[in-house]
Structures are given as structure tokens and as C-alpha cells.
Amino acid sequence: FDVVVAGLVGGIFMASLGSAVDHVAYQVCMQIISLVIFIAMIYSAMWHEGDRDRNLVDFHHIEKDMLKGLKIGLFAMIPSMLTSILLVLSATGVVKPIPDLGLNVAELIFRVINFYAIHIINAFIPPESTPTWGGIFLVTLIPLMIPLVNGAAYVLGFNRIALLSRLVYKGKDKKDG
């Protein structure tokens, strides 16, 4: 659920500010900010989950599972990967564009589901062009950040390693994710 909310927040940010100017440097900056927002939201939720689970493990309420964050991330990545498969099927000709509109539905769905990274997607698969296999491969790697961030954040939370606090309060050990 947190990945959906993070994607929506990043998408809303990109829709409101990221596409307002057609200058490449501006779009790169907006894309970086959108990804930071997206990653921070899923990192925070998973860090707190790891911290909570540490207490439950310490008091023998649940078994220790250091892969829980990775598993949740893989599950959260399913919609993005399904749209990636749809994109591949479109490139092979199995899924056809809507003839009257000239609209490639597979690309549209992929862009909507992964809107938080729309400028990266547009860089590798420009709108209104035929996607290349290299572009398709590169954009399908984008959702892999979800299980990577979830897995790392859960482990850090479980071990109560607060990266933000270590960066802000150099040397002080604060518990806030």
C-alpha cells in the first residue's frame, strides 16, 4: 500500500511541476526530486516495519525473517512487472495499438503505473515512437528499486540503524528511520 501512495505522491509531483517546463535540465531535476520522494516514502514505512518487528522478535511474538522487506518489495513490484510484460508483448506485436487513435495501450498503462519515473521512461522510450528492445529493457529495470529499497530499509530498521539521523546528527544515534 505504501508503494502505491508513494507512487501517487511522486506522480502528482511530476504532473504538477515536472512537466511544466520542456527544458531537459529542469526535467532531470524534477525527476530526481520525484524519485527521492518515492524512495523516502517506501524507505520510511519499511524501516519502521523492521523496527517494530525487532520488538516482536525480541519478545518471541514472531520469528525473525530478515528477507521480509525484500518479499514485500517483490510483491509490491507485481503491477509494474505485469505492465513490463505487457510492454514486451506490445513490442513483439502480440498486443496491438488501437488503430483509430494510434495509441499503444501497453505503453500508456506502463507510463501510468510507473508515473513517478516518467522522464526516465520518456528518455528511453520517447512518446509516439517505436520502443527499442534496449529502451524496454532499461525501463523494466526501474521497478527493481522497490524491492531493493524495501529490503535494505527493513534490515536497517530491524538493526535500528537510522541513516537520516546519522547524516543529520553526525555521531549521535537517533531512532527515527
Side-chain angles (χ1 to χ4, degrees), residues 3-166:
V3 172
V4 173
V5 172
L8 286 174
V9 170
I12 290 168
F13 177 79
M14 289 302 295
S16 61
L17 297 173
S19 300
V21 177
D22 203 23
H23 194 271
V24 174
Y26 179 79
Q27 290 179 355
V28 168
C29 289
M30 291 299 105
Q31 183 63 74
I32 291 169
I33 293 169
S34 177
L35 287 175
V36 167
I37 292 169
F38 180 75
I39 289 170
M41 289 182 75
I42 59 176
Y43 172 88
S44 176
M46 199 49 50
W47 190 96
H48 287 291
E49 181 74 13
D51 182 48
R52 185 185 68 84
D53 283 359
R54 173 66 178 259
N55 289 331
L56 294 173
V57 168
D58 287 347
F59 292 101
H60 307 289
H61 294 292
I62 64 170
E63 293 292 319
K64 182 178 180 179
D65 181 8
M66 296 304 283
L67 295 177
K68 182 178 179 180
L70 180 65
K71 292 174 188 175
I72 291 171
L74 289 170
F75 184 76
M77 190 177 87
I78 290 173
S80 293
M81 293 316 294
L82 289 176
T83 60
S84 296
I85 292 169
L86 194 59
L87 195 59
V88 169
L89 291 175
S90 172
T92 59
V94 174
V95 176
K96 305 278 187 213
I98 298 174
D100 295 338
L101 301 174
L103 178 68
N104 187 328
V105 178
E107 274 188 58
L108 177 65
I109 293 171
F110 184 83
R111 290 174 198 276
V112 168
I113 295 292
N114 299 293
F115 197 73
Y116 60 90
I118 193 67
H119 290 305
I120 296 172
I121 295 167
N122 287 344
F124 293 113
I125 303 177
E128 301 177 11
S129 68
T130 304
T132 64
W133 285 109
I136 291 171
F137 174 74
L138 290 172
V139 298
T140 57
L141 294 177
I142 294 169
L144 290 176
M145 80 172 126
I146 297 169
L148 295 176
V149 170
N150 275 358
Y154 182 85
V155 169
L156 291 171
F158 191 88
N159 292 309
R160 297 190 173 121
I161 299 171
L163 292 181
L164 182 61
S165 293
R166 289 188 182 200

